[in-house]
């Protein structure tokens, strides 16, 4: 039955299926044993198959136990019959009798082939599941194989992964042949095979992308504590490091914003706010509401909630477009956040002497913006030059330097005035009561979004 030609075919099959040769040989021997017992012996009988890998020949042995009183010829052999073979046999000994493989019929051969195929399929399923089960919660790169209205099939090697429409980034267009990164969210094994589900909208997808782009995150020097995300629009990432002298935000932003830009490009232009994590909830919540300025944060440990007071002209910025900034902050911190304007807090009597102030550096907001721009040192240098020009200018300075300093000062004042004017319409803002979950903002608050130049806080995503 077996031959060198068969063994050559078996070797090719091993390479094609990616299964070890020893595993294939084990499956083959089990298939032969099962088919032989089904056709010539009872299911309780014992047989053994030997396969010579060089010649392709195989031998089959029937295994019986020596007994005094014979009851089942398929599993037992009488003592007298055993001693005809060897006089030294005793009751309880095991005898292996070689069967004539030439007598095996065509039916048994067909059954062997069917059983072998079945075992190959089962082994493929098991191998595929084990391979991708280890890749769960990881990022893999695949090729878009097929695009349908409600899903896409991503070729990830030996199989295809299912990318549902709700797992695709809103606004992105997938084309057949595109190379994309996907997050393995689930690996399921059932009777039909291994089912691999991938996603591009999971918050953990953002975390894994930073691990690919930022060496400090990959080696654990900088830790991503939490991620909140509204796919296709904006994400917030809380980072932390226990190593002194390392700026976790700067490490993630990269030189001139190159690292965060690579992540943004992979996410189809999705904006990313990187803030510093703190074990102090007051500091953490104030950071999470960036880029808005926060005046005070009061913590209620029992309800796991926080009351945040912001300047009147920062209220809409703290809430964000349709409540997005507040929602993301809630998801990022895990705290229920109630935001009030300074004037509203005074009217409600929420400001008391015991109100907890934010133990955070006054320059945090400026540092946050400069880190995003990737130009902290350049900004500091420009400020030093401006101050020097204004305070220490003498008769030796050239007219050009003086005019430049004046022009920079006037431009800065004009920009600051324009920025203040953008918030003038919010002075009369009131009636801000029910936004515990930040999911029900409607057109009532939309006017506050339209007047704010949110792009001012996204400059660091623009290319040089």
């Amino acid at each position: 039955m077996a031959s060198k030609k068969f063994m050559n075919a078996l070797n090719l099959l091993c390479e094609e299926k990616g299964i070890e040769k020893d595993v294939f040989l084990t499956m083959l021997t089990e298939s032969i044993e099962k088919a032989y017992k089904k056709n010539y012996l009872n299911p309780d009988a014992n047989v053994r198959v030997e396969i010579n890998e060089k010649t392709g020949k195989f031998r089959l042995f029937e295994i019986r136990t020596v007994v005094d009183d014979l009851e089942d010829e398929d599993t037992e052999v009488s003592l007298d019959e055993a001693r005809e073979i060897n006089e030294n046999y005793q009751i309880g000994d095991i005898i292996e009798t070689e069967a004539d493989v030439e007598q095996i019929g065509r039916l048994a051969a067909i059954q062997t082939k069917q059983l072998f195929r079945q075992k190959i399929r089962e082994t493929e399923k098991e191998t595929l599941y084990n391979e991708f089960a280890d890749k769960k919660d990881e990022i893999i790169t695949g090729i878009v194989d097929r695009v349908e209205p409600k899903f896409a099939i991503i070729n990830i090697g030996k199989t295809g992964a299912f990318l549902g429409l709700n797992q695709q980034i809103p606004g992105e267009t997938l084309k057949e042949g595109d190379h994309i990164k996907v997050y393995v969210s689930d690996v399921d094994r059932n009777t039909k095979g291994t089912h691999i589900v991938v996603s591009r909208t999971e918050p953990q997808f953002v975390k894994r992308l930073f691990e690919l782009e930022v060496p400090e995150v990959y080696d654990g020097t900088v830790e991503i504590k939490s991620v909140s995300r509204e796919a296709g629009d904006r994400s917030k990432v809380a980072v932390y490091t226990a190593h002194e002298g390392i700026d976790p935000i700067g490490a993630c932003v990269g030189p001139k914003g190159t690292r965060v830009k690579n992540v943004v490009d992979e996410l189809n232009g999705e904006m990313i706010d990187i803030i510093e994590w703190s074990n102090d909830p007051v500091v953490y919540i104030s950071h999470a509401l960036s880029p808005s300025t926060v005046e005070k944060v009061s913590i209620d440990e029992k309800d796991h909630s926080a009351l945040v007071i912001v300047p009147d002209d920062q209220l809409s910025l703290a809430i964000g477009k349709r409540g997005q900034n507040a929602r993301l902050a809630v998801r990022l911190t895990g705290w229920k956040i109630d935001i009030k304007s300074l004037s509203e807090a005074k009217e409600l009597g929420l400001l008391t002497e015991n109100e907890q102030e934010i133990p955070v550096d006054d320059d945090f907001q400026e540092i946050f913006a400069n880190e995003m721009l990737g130009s902290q040192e350049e900004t500091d240098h420009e400020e030093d030059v401006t101050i020097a020009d204004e305070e220490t200018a003498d008769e030796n300075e050239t007219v050009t330097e003086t005019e430049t300093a004046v022009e920079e000062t006037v431009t800065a004042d004009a920009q600051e005035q324009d920025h203040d004017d953008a918030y003038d319409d919010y002075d009369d803002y009131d009636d801000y009561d029910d936004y515990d979950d930040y999911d029900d903002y409607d057109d009532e608050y939309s006017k506050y979004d339209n007047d704010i130049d949110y792009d001012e806080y996204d400059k660091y995503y623009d290319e040089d």
Side-chain angles (χ1 to χ4, degrees):
M1 179 181 293
S3 63
K4 289 185 178 180
K5 184 177 180 181
F6 176 79
M7 294 303 297
N8 291 335
L10 186 65
N11 292 331
L12 293 175
L13 192 61
C14 291
E15 296 179 2
E16 179 182 346
K17 300 297 183 181
I19 302 176
E20 296 292 335
K21 187 176 181 180
D22 292 341
V23 177
F24 261 114
L25 292 175
T26 300
M27 291 190 295
L28 179 60
T29 56
E30 290 177 354
S31 301
I32 295 173
E33 291 171 1
K34 189 173 182 179
Y36 184 78
K37 287 192 292 183
K38 183 175 181 180
N39 287 273
Y40 301 101
L41 301 174
N42 64 51
D44 296 329
N46 293 323
V47 296
R48 183 174 64 85
V49 176
E50 285 184 2
I51 298 179
N52 189 318
E53 297 184 28
K54 295 182 179 180
T55 63
K57 299 292 184 179
F58 74 91
R59 302 169 65 189
L60 192 147
F61 299 88
E62 298 178 3
I63 303 175
R64 295 183 174 87
T65 303
V66 178
V67 296
D68 188 20
D69 185 10
L70 182 63
E71 295 181 358
D72 186 351
E73 293 183 353
D74 290 341
T75 60
E76 300 172 344
V77 60
S78 64
L79 180 60
D80 294 338
E81 185 178 353
R83 285 183 173 175
E84 289 180 2
I85 301 173
N86 189 325
E87 295 181 355
N88 296 325
Y89 277 127
Q90 301 293 328
I91 294 176
D93 290 345
I94 302 298
I95 295 179
E96 291 188 356
T97 306
E98 186 172 0
D100 187 0
V101 296
E102 300 296 335
Q103 301 299 320
I104 297 179
R106 183 172 178 273
L107 180 60
I110 293 175
Q111 290 177 345
T112 300
K113 182 176 69 174
Q114 292 174 341
L115 291 169
F116 187 44
R117 285 180 175 176
Q118 180 180 353
K119 287 184 177 295
I120 290 176
R121 288 193 294 268
E122 291 174 354
T123 304
E124 281 185 299
K125 293 178 183 178
E126 183 72 20
T127 302
L128 187 64
Y129 175 79
N130 292 336
E131 177 181 352
F132 285 96
D134 294 338
K135 294 181 179 179
K136 187 177 179 180
D137 300 327
E138 299 292 339
I139 282 182
I140 57 176
T141 301
I143 302 174
V144 180
D145 199 23
R146 189 176 68 178
V147 179
E148 298 292 341
K150 293 185 178 181
F151 66 90
I153 300 299
I154 311 299
N155 187 341
I156 53 176
K158 298 179 181 178
T159 186
F162 181 84
L163 180 64
L165 183 62
N166 62 340
Q167 299 299 320
Q168 300 175 26
I169 299 176
E172 74 174 346
T173 302
L174 299 180
K175 298 180 181 179
E176 294 182 2
D178 288 349
H179 288 72
I180 63 171
K181 291 182 175 65
V182 291
Y183 174 78
V184 181
S185 57
D186 190 25
V187 180
D188 181 36
R189 179 173 57 181
N190 52 40
T191 55
K192 295 183 179 180
T194 300
H195 186 59
I196 302 170
V197 180
V198 295
S199 172
R200 285 174 59 80
T201 61
E202 291 282 345
Q204 291 299 310
F205 183 49
V206 177
K207 180 178 180 180
R208 297 304 182 192
L209 287 175
F210 272 104
E211 290 179 354
L212 294 177
E213 295 293 338
V214 183
E216 292 86 348
V217 175
Y218 180 79
D219 63 20
T221 303
V222 174
E223 182 180 356
I224 295 180
K225 287 287 190 176
S226 179
V227 178
S228 62
R229 184 184 184 198
E230 291 191 358
D233 201 351
R234 184 176 291 274
S235 294
K236 284 184 179 289
V237 180
V239 296
Y240 169 79
T241 182
H243 299 264
E244 295 183 2
I246 296 179
D247 178 10
I249 296 178
C252 292
V253 173
K256 296 184 179 181
T258 53
R259 292 175 177 177
V260 72
K261 185 179 182 302
N262 290 337
V263 177
V264 169
D265 291 342
E266 180 63 35
L267 298 177
N268 197 36
E270 181 177 316
M271 301 303 173
I272 301 177
D273 295 336
I274 305 174
I275 65 104
E276 187 171 0
W277 178 88
S278 173
N279 59 1
D280 186 340
V282 174
V283 178
Y284 189 23
I285 291 171
S286 66
H287 289 186
L289 288 170
S290 294
S292 68
T293 301
V294 176
E295 290 288 338
K296 292 181 181 295
V297 177
S298 297
I299 297 296
D300 186 341
E301 295 283 355
K302 182 178 180 181
D303 294 336
H304 203 66
S305 63
L307 172 63
V308 178
I309 300 175
V310 299
D312 291 358
D313 61 357
Q314 295 281 298
L315 181 59
S316 290
L317 188 60
I319 297 169
K321 295 180 180 180
R322 296 173 297 279
Q324 183 185 77
N325 194 59
R327 281 198 308 272
L328 291 175
V330 169
R331 296 171 189 169
L332 186 73
T333 62
W335 286 75
K336 181 180 178 181
I337 303 175
D338 184 15
I339 305 175
K340 301 291 184 184
S341 66
L342 188 59
S343 60
E344 184 181 6
K346 291 179 179 179
E347 292 177 4
L348 297 175
L350 298 177
L351 292 177
T352 64
E353 295 181 356
N354 296 327
E355 189 71 48
Q356 188 172 7
E357 296 186 1
I358 303 168
V360 64
D361 191 347
D362 293 337
D363 296 331
F364 169 75
Q365 301 298 335
E366 181 182 354
I367 294 174
F368 174 84
N370 289 333
E371 288 289 1
M372 295 298 97
L373 288 168
S375 59
Q376 177 68 45
E377 296 181 358
E378 295 179 4
T379 302
D380 292 342
H381 177 69
E382 290 174 0
E383 291 177 353
D384 292 341
V385 171
T386 302
I387 293 172
D389 288 340
E390 291 177 351
E391 296 181 356
T392 63
D394 53 31
E395 296 179 354
N396 295 328
E397 291 178 322
T398 64
V399 175
T400 303
E401 290 174 333
T402 303
E403 292 176 348
T404 301
V406 173
E407 181 181 354
E408 290 178 349
T409 304
V410 172
T411 301
D413 292 341
Q415 290 178 346
E416 182 177 359
Q417 182 63 39
D418 292 341
H419 183 271
D420 292 340
D421 292 342
Y423 296 100
D424 287 344
D425 295 337
Y426 308 127
D427 292 340
D428 299 329
Y429 181 78
D430 55 8
D431 189 21
Y432 186 79
D433 298 328
D434 186 14
Y435 54 92
D436 289 344
D437 295 329
Y438 301 101
D439 292 323
D440 300 324
Y441 287 94
D442 52 23
D443 294 337
E444 180 182 356
Y445 306 111
S446 62
K447 62 182 179 180
Y448 302 110
D449 301 326
N450 296 333
D451 293 337
I452 293 181
D453 184 10
Y454 286 90
D455 294 335
E456 178 183 349
Y457 300 94
D458 299 329
K459 294 176 183 177
Y460 56 93
Y461 297 106
D462 299 334
E463 297 184 9
D464 293 337

